[in-house]
Amino acid sequence: MSQCSIHGALGTVKKRADRGPVAPMHPRRDVGGPNPCGRPYYGFPDPWHRSMRPTQVRARSGVPADRIAAVFESASRRYVETHPRSQQLIGPRGIAGFYDGVPMHWMRDWSMPFPFVVDSAHGATLRDVDGHEYADFCLGDTGGMFGHSPAPVAEAVARQSGKGLTYMLPTEEALAVGRLLAERFGLPHWQIATTATDANRFALRVARAVTGRPKILVFNGCYHGTVDETFVRLVGGRVVQRPGLLGQASDLTQWARVVEFNDVDGLRAELAHGDVACVIAEPVMTNSCMVLPAPGFHDALRTLTRETGALLLIDETHTISTGPGGYTRARGLEPDLFVLGKPIAGGVPASAWGFTEDVRRRLDGVRAATPSGHTGMGTTLSANALALAAMRATLEHVMTPAAYGAMERLASVLELNLEQAIEEYGVPWHVVRLGARVELVCGRGPLRNGTEAEAAHAPALERALHLSLLNEGCLIAPFHNMMLVCPATTEDQVGRLCDAFERALANLTTG
Ligand SMILES: Cc1ncc(COP(=O)(O)O)c(C=O)c1O
């Protein structure tokens, strides 16, 4: 039973006066240590702890390096002991038949020594084949933002699956979806794709086509899916390709301009070249820890793009956590192009991209002047009947103001409790929340841009923290410290996470 005070008055936080003083932090030793499973750890591209001396690790995160290593090692051992069935099923070399032993290679990028095998998930609860039940705050990192298999979506999927899944022709569901998207997001013209990556790719193609310009401007540290033009970074003021990319056909830096988020002067200077077709932006950077826009930044972004003839694409794939119309509707943004993916069909792969009447008019003109042929947009399964049925159910019955109200309420309780634990244990960390999305950053804040966000990442520490929480039945997103609250999340589950977080903090800071 959780001890978190959310069981009392809503929005209150835990009372901590009854706890003793925080013990002094431990002196140093090195981070790392043997993997109990004898496999290398994956993911967490990690300049952070390898390039730092332990004293720096502690100065940056407030946690002694030797505690990070010790906590991770003991959490790894506990994980291995308590997941024998998953370990047996996955096998010593991973699942047979799959490259890298998993259906998608990033499934090895979690903090666990090996991934657990999922048995089922419903609402905000996930079960593994070892019989553990997790309060799921990862929620398929946003694909399940409205819970696993919400009833209206499950019913729509069942209904549609009795009638065929894909025909390359519209269904009656499509009539409703077009109207629902236009009403909700305020843009008149829409297309359906399968992933947010696809939607961004197609929208950027339209931007290039209608402006006749070659370049895309991105914010340093962004992520918009596996979209080539966005795989660039600023390093020492120079645009470079993101490390780790494989098989690029061309030098991506020639198609991109990169500016730090919140840097209005930098934005003005880069747009002044007159070769930018489109600025693509998350309205809040959620993939770089979480970076909020400075006051006036979005106004400046819109004014400068208009003045220089560049289009503005707002990617709401994550920031749809803000409310039913996303950050765009909540803050009155005026994008030319708009992208939404992941949870839009309740977990069925689907995305939507919309645009203004002005873009429609220009696109018509370009198409009329172009020889007929493949536009380079759309895939065979784009806008399939199953996706449209699930999207309609999600828009009509799942992404409701009431659902958002419940999510926001519990997310704010989670935020307050995390903040209070951070304060009590005296670590230089902070918490940022965007509606239902809560991000813990193991560094000082607020962060102003992608460079600061990258420096704030603490992969070794985050790994130890994630695994500690997991061992206590709480799953958070693997690549940073993201916790998402869905309509089915209960107060008990939030309480469980708050308590597990506090125990992990105690363990990390006091041993
Ligand atoms: C803001 C944003 N846009 C687009 C995407 C791509 O989504 P998908 O991987 O579903 O194509 C992501 C994925 O994390 C994202 O965070």
Side-chain angles (χ1 to χ4, degrees), residues 195-197 200 223-225 282 287 315 317-318 342:
T195 64
T197 297
N200 277 326
Y223 185 70
H224 297 284
E282 279 195 280
N287 284 295
D315 178 354
T317 299
H318 281 177
K342 296 197 185 184

Side-chain angles (χ1 to χ4, degrees), residues 75-157:
S76 295
R77 270 194 299 277
R78 183 165 157 205
Y79 179 87
V80 173
E81 281 159 19
T82 53
H83 292 80
R85 179 87 182 121
S86 290
Q87 189 172 25
Q88 185 200 11
L89 290 176
I90 299 259
R93 279 187 289 279
I95 305 170
F98 287 118
Y99 167 70
D100 220 11
V102 277
M104 187 64 228
H105 65 72
W106 43 246
M107 287 184 183
R108 296 181 75 143
D109 290 354
W110 291 74
S111 55
M112 312 79 121
F114 49 85
F116 63 75
V117 176
V118 176
D119 173 57
S120 63
H122 198 260
T125 303
L126 197 135
R127 291 180 187 79
D128 69 18
V129 294
D130 290 282
H132 304 292
E133 198 174 279
Y134 303 92
D136 188 358
F137 293 90
C138 171
L139 294 170
D141 191 344
T142 315
M145 192 172 114
F146 301 107
H148 295 290
S149 300
V153 175
E155 284 155 24
V157 166

Side-chain angles (χ1 to χ4, degrees), residues 106 141-143 194-201 222-227 280-287 315-319 339-343 349-351 437 479-480:
W106 43 246
D141 191 344
T142 315
T194 311
T195 64
T197 297
D198 277 349
N200 277 326
R201 209 183 279 140
C222 71
Y223 185 70
H224 297 284
T226 50
V227 180
I280 179 171
E282 279 195 280
V284 170
M285 286 185 93
T286 67
N287 284 295
D315 178 354
E316 289 264 15
T317 299
H318 281 177
T319 51
V339 161
L340 183 58
K342 296 197 185 184
S351 61
R437 194 176 186 90
F479 310 125
H480 39 123

Side-chain angles (χ1 to χ4, degrees), residues 459-473:
L461 173 57
E462 290 169 12
R463 202 163 54 186
L465 183 63
H466 290 197
L467 202 47
S468 302
L469 298 177
L470 186 91
N471 283 334
E472 301 228 21

